[in-house]
């Protein structure tokens, strides 16, 4: 019996996504007017409550942002970090300071005490070092736990595309991560991906991930434009691989507030009723 | 970033007050003013320290240049150090033409009549404070968001009271990158990042630096991404896809700012970028993004709906800092107006509909978005020759 309180979105995710049975969970932002990070925050706190080992790669925001948001939605991540159940990789700082490192002399303090080993990402467009770091983190987490499943979360994979890494390299990167997770700990890869425009590489990348994902959480903006009471639509698609049945689809509308997310069926927002 | 503010609920520890900043009402961020109080209001109080504000320029760039001047003037008025980079316009020219602050004149007449004259009006030592209002509107005397008069220029003495580092073409060319630096992006962006990192380092603006007097470094880059910076409309020189230089620069900039007491204002001429998706990607790499759409030269200039305004302000992105929800402004229909003395941002109000005008029919400002009806001639024309 789980006596820990879960939020509405977490309950929906737990019920509809069947956490333990996923290879790849994709959260996709279908255009630039929506923000899908609230799903990442909810999934992060849900995985923590379900006692998973989590490795989190943050590229779009700094680590302190996620820690602050978690505190607001009432799950503190600090104890998990201390007990080695959660490793947060500050991609923004590591990658950003690698860029700075190539522009300045070495004796600048801001980059001195960070082991920025990721110059190859920008010099050779290679994600090898990042892959090694994430794989070693996953191994570390798994070996220290007593058999709890592992999940690797990435926010936001499309940023790597913008930073100049090729489509092919990103796909190989994700495949390697997914493979490693499956082999070592039957784990899940969770990614946030965005679409920046039609006929853009980001659309091709997101479509590909949607195709190989077992659960897809698609966030769309309202076709009627901006609305203060309804921020967008969340479409949950779950493919059932073994039983050749139709995929399960569910669409909800949501509103993000400072500390919580409200969800309801289409057209039944409290602003309308 | 929560560590950046010293705003504490319980009065434990020293409450550090940095001039020109105030804590946000919505979350515990430390904010600075953009120099235009109406813009601060739209942004939810101001720009958060440690973030990047990107302004997508209007086609002729006048209003973006004006915002850079306001930002610089605000830095002068709050006594904060400033770094101004511009390749299209000489930074010195921008600095020579800052708007003068509006001083409260009320109290000055009263002191003349009083017998106990205070120190004579022209202070010799504390002359910088002469220009600040003589009465204290708030006990600490620190004001946030000053008002400026565009018809007057700020005095040279006042401008020189703060440390402004300029970065023009000649100064940019003098910057030497490390000997074996790989060319990971456009050379000019690398040099700019080099300069910003050295200024932050030398001025001790990092959050981990311990200084007696905490200042916020204000960085303004005018027309970043223009051809003068070597940008090829967002495309690589061989034409194969997007040039990742600008996103890489922004990543490095944000990583630096996240652990510094600094704010950056960038104006970017995104109308020069070849592909809209590139502009969207660049927007995602900044925190707050606004777009200025001026009416000059477009058909909207003659539209009676927009008679009182000079352009529209589109909010492209507002930051989510330490919370899930971004600040929601009251309305998204915002327009800006440049009057003789000041520049303001206002919610767009339609002019009252008069009887004669309604019979002629207002031109729908969004007509160009609707699909055009087939057929030659006439259509919805209101010409007197229609029959």
């Amino acid at each position: 019996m789980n006596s820990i309180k879960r939020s509405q979105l977490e309950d929906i995710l737990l019920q509809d996504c069947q956490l333990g049975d996923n290879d790849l969970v994709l959260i996709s932002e279908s255009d630039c007017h929506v923000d899908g990070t609230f799903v990442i925050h909810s999934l992060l706190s849900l995985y923590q409550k379900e006692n998973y080992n989590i490795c989190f790669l943050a590229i779009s925001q700094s680590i302190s942002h996620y820690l602050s948001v978690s505190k607001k939605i009432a799950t503190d991540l600090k104890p998990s970090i201390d007990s080695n159940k959660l490793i947060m990789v500050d991609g923004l700082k590591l990658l950003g300071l690698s860029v700075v490192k190539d522009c300045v002399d070495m004796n600048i303090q801001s980059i001195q005490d960070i082991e920025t080993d990721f110059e190859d990402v920008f010099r050779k467009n290679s994600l090898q070092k990042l892959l090694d770091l994430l794989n070693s983190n996953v191994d570390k987490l798994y070996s220290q736990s007593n058999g709890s499943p592992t999940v690797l979360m990435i926010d936001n994979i499309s940023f790597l595309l913008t930073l100049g890494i090729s489509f092919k390299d990103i796909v190989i990167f994700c495949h390697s991560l997914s493979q490693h997770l499956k082999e070592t700990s039957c784990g899940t890869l969770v990614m946030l991906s965005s679409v920046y425009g039609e006929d853009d590489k980001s659309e091709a990348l997101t479509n590909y991930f949607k195709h190989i994902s077992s659960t897809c959480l698609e966030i769309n903006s309202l076709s009627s434009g901006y609305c203060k009471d309804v921020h967008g639509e969340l479409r949950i698609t779950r493919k059932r691989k073994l039983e050749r049945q139709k995929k399960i689809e569910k669409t909800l509308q949501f509103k993000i507030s400072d500390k919580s997310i409200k969800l309801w069926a289409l057209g039944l927002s409290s602003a309308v009723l | 970033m929560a560590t950046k503010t010293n705003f504490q609920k319980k009065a434990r520890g020293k409450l550090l007050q940095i001039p020109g900043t105030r804590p946000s009402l919505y979350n515990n961020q430390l904010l600075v003013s953009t120099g235009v109080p109406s813009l601060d209001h739209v942004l939810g109080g101001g720009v958060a320290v440690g973030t990047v504000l990107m302004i997508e320029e209007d086609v002729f760039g006048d209003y973006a240049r004006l915002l850079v001047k306001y930002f610089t003037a605000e830095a002068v008025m709050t006594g904060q150090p400033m770094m101004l980079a511009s390749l299209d316009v000489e930074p010195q020219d921008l600095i020579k033409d800052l708007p003068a602050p509006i001083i409260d004149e009320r109290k000055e007449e009263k002191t003349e009549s009083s017998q106990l004259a205070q120190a004579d009006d022209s202070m010799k030592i504390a002359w910088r404070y002469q220009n600040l209002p003589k009465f204290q509107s708030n006990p600490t005397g620190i004001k946030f968001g000053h008002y400026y008069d565009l018809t007057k220029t700020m005095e040279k003495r006042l401008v020189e009271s703060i440390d402004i580092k300029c970065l023009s073409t000649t100064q940019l060319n003098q910057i030497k990158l490390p000997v074996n630096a790989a060319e990971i992006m456009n050379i000019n962006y690398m040099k700019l990042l080099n300069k910003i990192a050295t200024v932050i380092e030398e001025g001790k603006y990092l959050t981990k630096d311990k200084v007696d007097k905490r200042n916020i470094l204000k960085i303004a880059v005018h027309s970043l991404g223009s051809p003068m910076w070597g940008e090829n409309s967002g495309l690589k020189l061989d034409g194969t896809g997007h040039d990742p230089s600008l996103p890489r620069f922004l990543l490095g900039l944000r990583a630096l700012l996240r652990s510094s007491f600094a704010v950056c204002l960038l104006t970017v001429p995104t109308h020069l970028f070849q592909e809209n998706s590139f502009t969207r990607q660049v927007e995602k790499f900044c925190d707050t993004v606004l777009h200025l759409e001026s009416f000059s030269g477009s058909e909207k200039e003659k539209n009676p709906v927009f008679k009182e305004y000079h352009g529209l302000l589109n909010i492209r992105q507002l930051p989510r800092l330490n919370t899930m929800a971004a600040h929601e402004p009251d309305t998204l229909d915002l327009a800006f107006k440049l009057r003789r003395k000041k520049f303001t941002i206002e919610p767009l109000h339609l002019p009252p509909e008069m009887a004669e005008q309604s019979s002629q029919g207002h031109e729908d400002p969004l007509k160009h978005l609707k699909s055009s009806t087939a057929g030659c001639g006439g259509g919805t024309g209101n010409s007197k020759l229609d029959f």
Side-chain angles (χ1 to χ4, degrees):
Chain A
M1 266 288 279
N2 214 346
S3 58
I4 306 171
K5 200 164 177 296
R6 283 190 288 263
S7 75
Q8 188 191 10
L9 177 58
E10 287 169 21
D11 274 330
I12 293 173
L13 290 172
L14 188 61
Q15 187 188 3
D16 290 324
C17 301
Q18 281 174 322
L19 292 185
D21 193 26
N22 276 304
D23 292 336
L24 171 65
V25 176
L26 179 75
I27 306 161
S28 81
E29 296 173 353
S30 54
D31 55 49
C32 52
H33 300 295
V34 283
D35 185 75
T37 48
F38 71 95
V39 184
I40 287 265
H41 292 303
S42 300
L43 270 177
L44 184 56
S45 76
L46 181 60
Y47 279 124
Q48 195 210 9
K49 284 174 188 166
E50 296 292 309
N51 218 15
Y52 275 60
N53 301 322
I54 311 170
C55 177
F56 192 101
L57 170 64
I59 311 178
S60 65
Q61 295 275 16
S62 62
I63 297 288
S64 50
H65 168 83
Y66 297 97
L67 294 176
S68 306
V69 176
S70 294
K71 262 195 228 152
K72 281 197 173 162
I73 56 178
T75 39
D76 200 0
L77 293 177
K78 269 279 164 108
S80 292
I81 298 180
D82 295 332
S83 63
N84 289 325
K85 291 276 286 180
L86 165 63
I87 298 182
M88 300 204 80
V89 181
D90 199 339
L92 175 63
K93 219 198 294 192
L94 290 176
L95 293 174
L97 292 178
S98 306
V99 176
V100 179
K101 200 173 174 190
D102 265 342
C103 300
V104 297
D105 293 325
M106 271 304 293
N107 54 9
I108 297 270
Q109 196 197 59
S110 42
I111 52 169
Q112 215 169 39
D113 38 25
I114 310 217
E115 342 84 58
T116 47
D117 204 14
F118 299 103
E119 298 96 35
D120 280 349
V121 175
F122 303 106
R123 287 183 192 176
K124 297 185 200 151
N125 291 343
S126 146
L127 291 173
Q128 189 59 44
K129 290 263 171 62
L130 193 59
L131 181 65
D132 294 336
L133 173 68
L134 292 174
N135 282 342
S136 67
N137 279 340
V138 167
D139 291 334
K140 209 191 320 179
L141 281 172
Y142 188 65
S143 59
Q144 281 172 357
S145 76
N146 45 2
S148 2
T150 320
V151 63
L152 174 60
M153 301 179 78
I154 303 182
D155 174 14
N156 169 328
I157 196 86
S158 308
F159 276 29
L160 293 175
L161 199 60
T162 312
L163 288 171
I165 317 287
S166 73
F167 178 98
K168 202 176 67 162
D169 286 337
I170 298 179
V171 167
I172 294 174
F173 173 72
C174 294
H175 262 298
S176 316
L177 284 174
S178 184
Q179 204 61 26
H180 187 93
L181 276 167
K182 262 195 285 202
E183 282 166 12
T184 52
S185 48
C186 296
T188 314
L189 178 61
V190 178
M191 293 197 299
L192 175 64
S193 164
S194 316
V195 178
Y196 296 119
E198 298 198 351
D199 296 334
D200 189 53
K201 288 250 179 66
S202 57
E203 194 186 18
L205 190 69
T206 307
N207 281 341
Y208 175 70
F209 287 137
K210 259 192 231 177
H211 174 71
I212 61 170
S213 68
S214 44
T215 303
C216 177
L217 301 157
E218 199 181 318
I219 293 142
N220 302 316
S221 58
L222 293 178
S223 49
S224 46
Y226 172 73
C227 171
K228 236 181 173 175
D229 300 302
V230 181
H231 289 158
E233 285 182 4
L234 170 67
R235 184 138 130 240
I236 305 175
T237 311
R238 175 142 176 86
K239 297 182 205 160
R240 294 147 109 187
K241 281 191 256 192
L242 297 175
E243 316 132 41
R244 284 157 98 254
Q245 293 179 2
K246 245 176 24 168
K247 30 185 197 188
I248 301 174
E249 276 190 22
K250 196 171 179 180
T251 312
L252 301 157
Q253 285 179 340
F254 62 86
K255 177 182 157 128
I256 311 171
S257 69
D258 203 30
K259 294 194 178 157
S260 65
I261 305 146
K262 287 208 188 68
L263 297 123
W264 55 84
L266 293 181
L268 297 178
S269 133
S270 56
V272 171
L273 292 173
Chain B
M1 276 195 61
T3 55
K4 218 176 298 304
T5 180
N6 292 298
F7 185 79
Q8 290 158 9
K9 283 184 188 147
K10 295 191 183 140
R12 230 183 276 164
K14 226 169 26 150
L15 197 71
L16 208 78
Q17 270 235 330
I18 311 173
T21 65
R22 72 169 173 205
S24 161
L25 297 170
Y26 305 102
N27 49 30
N28 61 340
Q29 291 299 323
L30 198 60
L31 302 175
V32 298
S33 170
T34 52
V36 183
S38 44
L39 182 57
D40 290 339
H41 176 73
V42 163
L43 296 176
V47 187
V49 174
T51 63
V52 175
L53 166 61
M54 172 165 133
I55 310 260
E56 297 189 25
E57 288 185 10
D58 49 312
V59 178
F60 295 110
D62 305 319
Y63 300 104
R65 215 173 302 139
L66 190 60
L67 283 175
V68 173
K69 286 189 195 165
Y70 269 110
F71 190 69
T72 314
E74 188 66 21
V76 173
M77 288 310 294
T78 52
Q80 299 295 295
M82 174 92 198
M83 180 178 143
L84 179 58
S86 169
L87 297 187
D88 291 60
V89 174
E90 271 298 310
Q92 288 299 332
D93 290 342
L94 284 172
I95 293 170
K96 277 187 205 143
D97 196 28
L98 296 178
I102 296 178
I103 315 145
D104 207 318
E105 302 280 338
R106 271 183 278 155
K107 280 286 180 180
E108 286 186 21
E109 288 133 33
K110 251 192 162 178
T111 50
E112 281 173 13
S113 57
S114 75
Q115 291 288 327
L116 312 148
Q118 293 164 17
D120 55 13
D121 279 352
S122 65
M123 297 183 223
K124 291 193 179 58
I125 296 172
W127 56 266
R128 230 196 96 238
Y129 293 93
Q130 187 180 339
N131 290 324
L132 295 176
K134 286 204 166 70
F135 69 96
Q136 305 238 312
S137 49
N138 49 10
T140 52
I142 297 168
K143 222 170 158 227
F144 183 93
H146 297 82
Y147 289 91
Y148 300 93
D149 183 345
L150 287 170
T151 52
K152 303 187 192 134
T153 318
M154 195 184 270
E155 284 177 7
K156 198 166 166 208
R157 230 176 20 158
L158 188 55
V159 176
E160 285 170 3
S161 67
I162 64 161
D163 171 29
I164 303 187
K165 293 189 170 48
C166 289
L167 196 62
S168 64
T169 322
T170 35
Q171 282 149 341
L172 193 75
N173 289 335
Q174 283 165 4
I175 296 176
K176 293 265 179 300
L177 292 173
V179 182
N180 48 358
E183 194 175 321
I184 54 172
M185 56 182 175
N186 184 331
I187 292 281
N188 289 328
Y189 296 158
M190 290 181 78
K191 290 185 179 175
L192 177 61
L193 202 53
N194 175 309
K195 181 74 181 171
I196 293 175
T198 25
V199 169
I200 289 179
E201 169 80 12
E202 285 166 6
K204 298 206 180 305
Y205 297 109
L206 293 169
T207 42
K208 53 188 179 186
D209 285 331
K210 302 251 182 298
V211 282
D212 298 322
K213 189 168 179 294
R214 194 42 100 184
N215 281 327
I216 310 274
L217 173 67
K218 296 199 175 171
I219 308 168
V221 185
H222 173 251
S223 241
L224 181 71
S226 72
M228 287 295 293
W229 288 91
E231 183 70 52
N232 184 29
S233 313
L235 298 173
K236 282 198 217 154
L237 283 171
D238 50 11
T240 59
H242 297 154
D243 182 2
S245 292
L246 189 54
R248 286 180 182 184
F249 167 77
L250 291 170
L251 186 72
L253 178 66
R254 260 172 100 221
L256 271 179
L257 290 185
R258 281 292 191 267
S259 49
S260 321
F261 279 95
V263 184
C264 184
L265 167 75
L266 306 172
T267 67
V268 182
T270 52
H271 54 92
L272 295 175
F273 290 163
Q274 195 89 307
E275 287 172 30
N276 276 338
S277 57
F278 180 68
T279 312
R280 299 289 90 79
Q281 292 178 34
V282 166
E283 284 170 8
K284 289 285 179 188
F285 273 74
C286 298
D287 297 296
T288 318
V289 184
L290 302 170
H291 175 235
L292 293 170
E293 185 191 333
S294 108
F295 295 147
S296 45
S298 83
E299 52 192 27
K300 287 185 185 167
E301 198 173 11
K302 306 184 195 84
N303 196 318
V305 171
F306 298 132
K307 197 169 50 164
E308 293 175 12
Y309 304 105
H310 292 100
L312 296 176
L313 178 80
N314 299 321
I315 301 179
R316 287 277 155 85
Q317 187 174 281
L318 285 175
R320 290 177 161 74
L321 300 167
N322 297 332
T323 92
M324 276 197 292
H327 169 249
E328 280 174 24
D330 304 321
T331 165
L332 285 183
D333 296 318
L334 297 159
F336 58 84
K337 193 188 289 199
L338 177 62
R339 293 203 216 108
R340 206 172 63 92
K341 284 196 172 181
K342 64 179 174 176
F343 173 84
T344 46
I345 312 264
E346 292 170 13
L348 187 63
H349 289 303
L350 292 177
E353 192 156 303
M354 310 298 263
E356 325 93 56
Q357 280 176 341
S358 57
S359 60
Q360 280 174 15
H362 279 283
E363 239 187 66
D364 189 351
L366 300 175
K367 198 162 68 163
H368 66 280
L369 291 177
K370 297 194 186 135
S371 54
S372 55
T373 53
C376 35
T380 52
N382 295 323
S383 158
K384 288 189 181 127
L385 296 174
D386 272 357
F387 44 82

